[in-house]
């Protein structure tokens, strides 16, 4: 980046911003891109996206599997070509509006306000806890409680 052109300004001027998954699931790229009102171009394999249990990521992002990285430029150029020709301009603007709407879910407020990051994390944790209990042998199941009290 040059001194005249900052990272934040570059994101703001872009229609699509590439967000590779990296080695960690918790990457600030998605949040930075969302703040910049740029449509995320998500490149990941088997990553669970933030708040994926309540946010429809397909409605405001372009998702590209890792195997398609060699074709990434062509995929995004095709999207841009379609937008410029008006073929999918409506789709892009719907995605852009959705990005603006989901911004508030990534903001941390003190004190917390409705639909901010804190209020998104708590239900996600609860839903995942329930999912873990449903999909595996949970220590809080009646079978475990019955076994525990009868054994001891």
């Amino acid at each position: 980046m040059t001194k005249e052109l900052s990272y934040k300004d570059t994101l703001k001027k872009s229609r699509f911003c590439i967000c590779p998954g990296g080695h960690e699931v918790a990457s600030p790229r998605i949040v930075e891109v969302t703040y910049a009102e740029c449509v995320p171009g998500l490149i990941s394999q088997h990553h669970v996206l933030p708040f994926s249990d309540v946010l429809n990521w397909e409605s405001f992002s372009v998702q590209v599997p890792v195997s398609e990285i060699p074709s990434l430029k062509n995929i995004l150029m095709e999207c841009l070509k379609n937008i410029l020709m008006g073929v999918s301009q409506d789709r892009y603007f719907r995605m852009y509006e959705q990005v603006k709407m989901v911004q508030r879910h990534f903001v941390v407020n003190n004190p917390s306000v409705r639909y901010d990051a804190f209020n998104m994390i708590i239900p996600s944790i609860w839903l995942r806890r329930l999912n873990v209990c449903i999909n595996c042998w949970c220590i809080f199941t009646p079978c475990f409680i019955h076994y525990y009290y009868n054994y001891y």
Side-chain angles (χ1 to χ4, degrees), residues 1-142:
M1 292 279 131
T2 63
K3 289 185 180 180
E4 299 84 35
L5 193 61
S6 72
Y7 175 67
K8 194 185 297 186
D9 292 336
T10 303
L11 290 178
K12 273 286 207 195
K13 291 179 181 179
S14 302
R15 286 188 180 228
F16 296 99
C17 296
I18 298 172
C19 300
H23 295 290
E24 295 183 26
V25 177
S27 172
R29 290 182 195 103
I30 293 174
V31 177
E32 293 169 346
V33 166
T34 305
Y35 284 157
E37 297 179 355
C38 186
V39 174
L42 303 171
I43 303 171
S44 67
Q45 187 128 352
H46 311 299
H47 278 191
V48 177
L49 295 167
F51 316 129
S52 59
D53 41 2
V54 290
L55 294 180
N56 179 9
W57 281 88
E58 291 178 5
S59 70
F60 62 92
S61 67
V62 176
Q63 298 181 29
V64 180
V66 173
S67 61
E68 295 294 320
I69 288 176
S71 307
L72 180 62
K73 182 178 178 182
N74 293 336
I75 291 168
L76 294 178
M77 290 303 286
E78 188 66 31
C79 287
L80 284 174
K81 187 173 97 179
N82 288 340
I83 288 167
L84 294 174
M85 292 174 54
V87 175
S88 63
Q89 193 166 8
D90 289 341
R91 181 171 183 257
Y92 169 77
F93 284 118
R94 281 194 309 270
M95 291 169 70
Y96 174 75
E97 290 299 319
Q98 287 286 85
V99 167
K100 289 183 358 182
M101 287 176 59
V102 300
Q103 275 180 330
R104 65 183 176 166
H105 301 309
F106 294 95
V107 175
V108 177
N109 296 295
N110 188 10
S112 179
V113 295
R114 192 172 191 177
Y115 303 117
D116 71 352
F118 179 78
N119 284 294
M120 293 293 288
I121 290 170
I122 297 303
S124 289
I125 292 171
W126 180 254
L127 288 170
R128 290 194 181 136
R129 183 191 102 26
L130 290 175
N131 194 29
V132 167
C133 288
I134 291 168
N135 291 331
C136 69
W137 195 63
C138 179
I139 63 168
F140 300 111
T141 60

